[in-house]
Amino acid sequence: MPSPLRIISSMATRQLLADLVQQFEQQSQQPVTVESVGGVDAAKRVQAGEAFDVVILASNAIEQLIQAGKVLAGSRTDLVKSGVAVAVRSGAPRPDIGSEAALRQAVLTAGSLSYSTGPSGVALVKLFERWGIAEQIRDRIVQAPPGVPVGSLVAKGEVELGFQQLSELIHLQGIDVVGPLPDEVQIITTFSAGIAATATQPGAVRALLDFLVSPAAEAAKRGNGMEPA
């Protein structure tokens, strides 16, 4: 039996990878283990030299790890494009978020809101600044700790309005997904795989990456609220 391939990923692709790895293991007889943590923590662990075979993070984080020599140059493989959605607690009134103006009003009206520490959260902060409301809502923002789904805070009633990758919201109990951000302000993150510099089974890793971008992987990507990259 070959030794397992080790993947580290951010939380956004956790359920997708669980689905895809199961498919891959069935057809290849190659065991794979996946550890999904906050993206910031994942990148730190790879930077610190922890041994993995594959790293799956936002594409800019993969590029930084390539620059640092922790992911092999030329190995970046774009997997999915992931958009941000808005959630409320199950049964709560759903605000109108159908346009940029409506979304801005929903944010201003919300008693509390939360977003992730990942790339989508950074982009949201810039959006609130561009709207000129960052100061106004500062005290109402509940920052989800790395690795804690924003949706879980919404489900518990700790937060009224939650912003996170749709892929991280659609499998959670206790929330209603209001919908995606309007097109004019939608935040798309591309998640990519890279071969870690510590990888010891290059052939098996390449087979895994080929599978992750194959037509066989598309249904799972769409089922997890993402688009093939």
Side-chain angles (χ1 to χ4, degrees), residues 16 19-20 23 214-226 228:
L16 171 65
D19 296 347
L20 289 178
Q23 277 184 49
S214 70
E218 286 192 12
K221 292 173 182 179
R222 295 191 198 283
N224 279 284
M226 297 171 166

Side-chain angles (χ1 to χ4, degrees), residues 124-137:
L124 270 173
V125 171
K126 288 185 179 149
L127 179 62
F128 298 153
E129 285 168 357
R130 182 159 71 71
W131 283 347
I133 63 172
E135 285 303 319
Q136 214 172 328
I137 63 171

Side-chain angles (χ1 to χ4, degrees), residues 17-194:
L17 291 173
D19 296 347
L20 289 178
V21 160
Q22 190 178 7
Q23 277 184 49
F24 178 73
E25 287 179 328
Q26 282 168 352
Q27 69 174 47
S28 69
Q29 306 304 304
Q30 166 66 55
V32 181
T33 62
V34 183
E35 190 178 353
S36 297
V37 298
V40 175
D41 290 340
K44 278 183 186 159
R45 286 171 60 182
V46 177
Q47 283 278 15
E50 195 172 332
F52 296 100
D53 295 290
V54 179
V55 186
I56 297 177
L57 293 170
S59 54
N60 62 333
I62 293 292
E63 284 299 329
Q64 286 164 1
L65 291 168
I66 289 172
Q67 298 299 321
K70 302 298 182 181
V71 166
L72 299 183
S75 74
R76 179 182 137 192
T77 306
D78 294 345
L79 303 180
V80 284
K81 293 185 185 303
S82 176
V84 173
V86 180
V88 294
R89 195 176 190 182
S90 286
R94 297 176 175 223
D96 175 10
I97 59 164
S99 67
E100 182 174 356
L103 178 66
R104 181 178 184 274
Q105 190 54 44
V107 169
L108 280 173
T109 312
S112 56
L113 57 145
S114 184
Y115 47 80
S116 77
T117 51
S120 61
V122 175
L124 270 173
V125 171
K126 288 185 179 149
L127 179 62
F128 298 153
E129 285 168 357
R130 182 159 71 71
W131 283 347
I133 63 172
E135 285 303 319
Q136 214 172 328
I137 63 171
R138 187 182 301 277
D139 296 342
R140 294 183 239 157
I141 292 169
V142 180
Q143 186 67 70
V148 173
V150 168
S152 67
L153 303 181
V154 176
K156 288 181 203 156
E158 292 173 21
V159 173
E160 206 174 299
L161 212 56
F163 292 82
Q164 198 156 29
Q165 310 275 343
L166 177 60
S167 63
E168 294 185 70
L169 293 172
I170 56 177
H171 300 293
L172 276 177
Q173 302 294 313
I175 64 170
D176 291 335
V177 176
V178 182
L181 296 187
D183 286 347
E184 60 264 43
V185 292
Q186 178 57 281
I187 298 158
I188 301 289
T189 303
T190 300
F191 288 94
S192 307

